[in-house]
Amino acid sequence: PPSAVLFDDCLGHLVRVHRLMRMPRGNALLVGVGGSGKQSLTRLASYIAGNQCFQITLTKTYNANNLLEDFKPLYRRAGVQGKGVTFMLTDKEIKDEGFLEYINIFLNTGELPNLFPRDEYDAILGEMAGVYTAIHKGSEPTSDQLWTMFIERVRSNLHLSLCFSPVGIKFRTRAQQFPGLINGCTIDWFLPWPEEGLT
């Protein structure tokens, strides 16, 4: 099985990513060249935080609709069940810049437009009714209150870990086009490994 050597610099990154996975609305933008440990530490930090770690399975036909379909069970786990989820996305998995439009919207509002058709939307409201009444005993919630609570729980429990490389102009361009990547995430720069790590 693969192993990680946890030298001091590596532990520092692990603790930072783990802290974000435990914080409500904690999202990470991990910036470093390939092989610097961004994905490995995201998986380990998620495991320590008790989160399910999800990464898309890229195929030739994977498109924005597939991305939204992948988001649906994560939304339900985070919003209805109230369980932690980490959605890890690398820059190699961005086949279409439109993917980042959805990521940007999620980071800004937590709500992806037209994600659920009417029947799934109603089913979520039905499931959230029990959650709502358990917290607010004796009150009769409206549909808007249930949906607001669902989205708040999604924003608290669904964490993004964006593993990007600073090499080339793509990173700069994406940061300018999609400001949520910067404003909605805590940035952790993976600098060259220290001598201790190389040893």
Side-chain angles (χ1 to χ4, degrees):
S3 60
V5 179
L6 297 176
F7 49 93
D8 288 350
D9 189 56
C10 178
L11 282 171
H13 288 298
L14 176 64
V15 169
R16 284 191 284 276
V17 177
H18 173 261
R19 188 183 300 139
L20 291 170
M21 299 300 112
R22 297 287 295 171
M23 284 172 53
R25 302 193 185 190
N27 299 293
L29 175 57
L30 310 182
V31 185
V33 297
S36 53
K38 304 183 294 294
Q39 294 183 60
S40 301
L41 291 183
T42 293
R43 288 191 187 92
L44 182 55
S46 298
Y47 175 78
I48 295 170
N51 290 3
Q52 174 193 349
C53 189
F54 175 81
Q55 190 170 13
I56 66 175
T57 304
L58 206 58
T59 62
K60 287 182 180 177
T61 58
Y62 194 94
N63 58 29
N65 288 332
N66 299 119
L67 179 68
L68 292 177
E69 284 299 316
D70 280 340
F71 258 113
K72 281 185 184 182
L74 306 183
Y75 260 65
R76 293 183 74 95
R77 179 181 170 87
V80 177
Q81 299 174 32
K83 294 180 178 176
V85 187
T86 302
F87 181 28
M88 178 166 61
L89 184 70
T90 70
D91 42 14
K92 290 190 177 85
E93 292 161 351
I94 302 170
K95 282 181 64 178
D96 178 355
E97 294 299 302
F99 289 11
L100 288 175
E101 188 66 53
Y102 290 112
I103 298 298
N104 190 58
I105 291 169
F106 175 82
L107 290 168
N108 286 324
T109 68
E111 187 170 2
L112 295 177
N114 305 315
L115 180 61
F116 295 102
R118 187 72 211 187
D119 58 330
E120 292 181 38
Y121 174 86
D122 290 339
I124 287 170
L125 294 186
E127 293 173 80
M128 287 303 298
V131 178
Y132 188 95
T133 52
I135 297 171
H136 307 282
K137 290 180 172 55
S139 62
E140 198 66 36
T142 64
S143 295
D144 286 345
Q145 287 173 316
L146 290 175
W147 187 252
T148 299
M149 184 182 194
F150 173 71
I151 294 300
E152 279 302 313
R153 283 162 65 96
V154 168
R155 297 190 81 180
S156 293
N157 296 317
L158 176 50
H159 308 278
L160 297 189
S161 179
L162 308 176
C163 304
F164 289 178
S165 169
V167 178
I169 63 168
K170 274 191 175 180
F171 179 69
R172 183 185 67 199
T173 306
R174 287 168 174 170
Q176 291 170 339
Q177 288 180 332
F178 306 105
L181 300 180
I182 306 298
N183 301 333
C185 294
T186 299
I187 304 173
D188 187 12
W189 284 87
F190 281 65
L191 300 173
W193 285 7
E195 190 67 34
E196 181 193 10
L198 298 174
T199 305

